[in-house]
Amino acid sequence: MSGTNHHKPSHANTIPDDDSRCGAAFSADAVAGLHVDPAAIHSPADDYDSPWKVALECYLPQALALLVPSLHAAIDWSVAPQFLDKELQSIGPPGVKGRKYVDKLASVRLLNGDCIWLLIHIEVQGRLRGPRGVQAFSQRMVDYRLPLQLHGRQLAGSPASPLIYSLGILIQGRVGAEVDESDLVYLVHANEFLGQGIWFTFPVVELDRWWGRWAMLQTQAPSNPFAVVLMAQLLASRHPTKSTRLGPLKHMVQQLLSYGYSPQETRQILSLVEWMLTLPTVLKPVYMQALNTLRQEPNVMRLTIMEEFAIERGMKKGLEKGIEQGIEQGIEQGQAKQLLSMLQHRFGPISAEMAERVRHAKAPQLEVWSINFVDAKVLGDVFRP
């Protein structure tokens, strides 16, 4: 099994670093003007679980084009992937609880007509510590693969196991020194005794290595939304203290608005970027003021953090005179439109009756449904109380 490599990644000069490099909108004076108690800036740990689940469902082809080009080239993308969350839930290994991992299972059609199951396992919290951490990581990959093979045979009524491609993704840290042309590391899980046992080889994407490919991500970002998501994740890892993220987030928004995506696509990407680069609530007014100066498409910039802050704080402080008028209706319309887009992407066409129910829902109800969507296996799960 490969050991952990701890070489420090190189950083391109074009990577947004601190607030001073990203414009005066997030200057020290602007933040100081809030007269905030430093203790109030602290907030809960990042939740990378939910945005990664949504990002993979929305942009699976684009993700594989970046991370595993050889696999992307073998898949027939004219056939939409089917996400098998229910199957994955039924075979999940015991003892894997909490929000330290993200697992997605999808059925995809290959160009040769075969179907494969694609299992993506993401370590979203912390680094793997030494050989034991690497061993535990590879064991989790095995714990999923073997039950999947059995489950696939049972579904097909065949003694032949389904084709399975297992991919590991590390948010932080490294597990090996040798990589292929796509910066993939291949780990081998070995469990052997007296000549018999199991050898399992699988590729791992180490996001730390992508610091050295920042320029390539910038080139890809105008045509590949997942490149934008990946850049946001890298910046979030580089800025674990949320109070230092104002500048990087503004930089990402400026870049996103220049890429030429449609308003609907921009909203969806922006929501993921803001999810990755979560800010402390107390600093959101400064971000909102910057959005007001940056926005080129008003309907785009009324969403995401502006919605969240308006609901949480009631638009009582930090806003320009008159913005309160009509904001509630605008927020609800934006939330409804975004939720309908996500529902259609995951579950297919939505009935006219259901669409009207979403459009006429109030902001608190839309918030509940949006949270339910993250782990929903069927459409009815979204609308549970």
Side-chain angles (χ1 to χ4, degrees), residues 23-341:
F26 295 134
S27 66
D29 291 340
V31 176
L34 295 174
H35 302 292
V36 175
D37 181 351
I41 296 180
H42 296 295
S43 51
D46 286 308
D47 170 23
Y48 295 140
D49 178 301
S50 300
W52 270 92
K53 284 183 178 178
V54 174
L56 288 173
E57 286 200 9
C58 292
Y59 303 119
L60 182 62
Q62 296 89 338
L64 294 184
L66 272 179
L67 303 177
V68 196
S70 59
L71 176 59
H72 178 272
I75 295 175
D76 180 1
W77 293 108
S78 68
V79 180
Q82 289 185 304
F83 289 94
L84 308 174
D85 292 339
K86 186 175 181 180
E87 285 80 359
L88 186 61
Q89 188 178 33
S90 67
I91 59 91
V96 180
K97 299 180 180 179
R99 305 181 71 84
K100 295 183 179 180
Y101 323 114
V102 175
D103 299 294
K104 294 299 294 183
L105 180 65
S107 175
V108 295
R109 178 77 58 82
L110 299 181
L111 291 173
N112 65 7
D114 291 337
C115 286
I116 67 168
W117 284 3
L118 169 62
L119 173 67
I120 303 178
H121 174 85
I122 307 171
E123 298 277 322
V124 297
Q125 289 187 9
R127 299 175 181 268
L128 300 181
R129 301 295 182 182
R132 288 189 177 182
V134 176
Q135 183 178 12
F137 172 53
S138 62
Q139 183 65 61
R140 284 191 286 275
M141 300 294 290
V142 175
D143 288 345
Y144 271 117
R145 188 180 183 93
L146 296 180
L148 273 179
Q149 291 177 328
L150 176 59
H151 188 67
R153 291 199 300 268
Q154 292 173 341
L155 287 178
S158 168
S161 297
L163 296 174
I164 299 175
Y165 187 96
S166 300
L167 175 67
I169 299 178
L170 295 181
I171 300 296
Q172 295 180 324
R174 300 188 181 186
V175 295
E178 299 297 326
V179 298
D180 66 5
E181 65 277 4
S182 301
D183 274 352
L184 289 173
V185 175
Y186 285 85
L187 288 185
V188 177
H189 176 84
N191 187 337
E192 186 179 28
F193 177 69
L194 294 180
Q196 61 176 305
I198 296 174
W199 283 73
F200 174 47
T201 304
F202 63 96
V204 179
V205 175
E206 301 168 322
L207 293 191
D208 275 359
R209 295 185 185 273
W210 282 77
W211 281 114
R213 308 180 80 178
W214 185 268
M216 186 271 281
L217 288 174
Q218 288 183 311
T219 301
Q220 295 272 347
S223 59
N224 187 330
F226 197 81
V228 184
V229 174
L230 195 55
M231 292 163 71
Q233 176 64 75
L234 290 172
L235 289 173
S237 297
R238 190 178 189 186
H239 295 271
T241 303
K242 295 181 182 181
S243 60
T244 66
R245 293 177 177 176
L246 284 166
L249 180 55
K250 173 177 175 281
H251 176 86
M252 289 294 299
V253 174
Q254 287 175 315
Q255 294 298 310
L256 176 59
L257 293 178
S258 72
Y259 292 152
Y261 288 108
S262 68
Q264 180 178 353
E265 193 77 2
T266 300
R267 284 194 296 267
Q268 185 162 275
I269 300 170
L270 179 59
S271 68
L272 291 169
V273 169
E274 290 179 342
W275 217 342
M276 296 285 188
L277 286 164
T278 304
L279 297 176
T281 300
V282 72
L283 296 183
K284 290 176 185 177
V286 184
Y287 173 67
M288 292 169 62
Q289 291 170 8
L291 290 186
N292 283 331
T293 62
L294 286 174
R295 65 184 181 186
Q296 300 173 6
E297 183 67 46
N299 290 335
V300 172
M301 303 312 295
R302 273 186 187 164
L303 302 176
T304 59
I305 279 184
M306 291 189 73
E307 295 174 357
E308 176 189 337
F309 187 79
I311 292 169
E312 290 179 355
R313 309 295 291 181
M315 307 301 291
K316 293 179 180 177
K317 295 180 181 179
L319 301 178
E320 297 177 359
K321 183 178 180 180
I323 197 173
E324 193 169 352
Q325 296 179 353
I327 192 67
E328 184 176 354
Q329 182 179 0
I331 289 172
E332 289 170 352
Q333 291 175 350
Q335 284 182 298
K337 183 178 292 187
Q338 186 174 22
L339 179 59
L340 283 172
S341 175

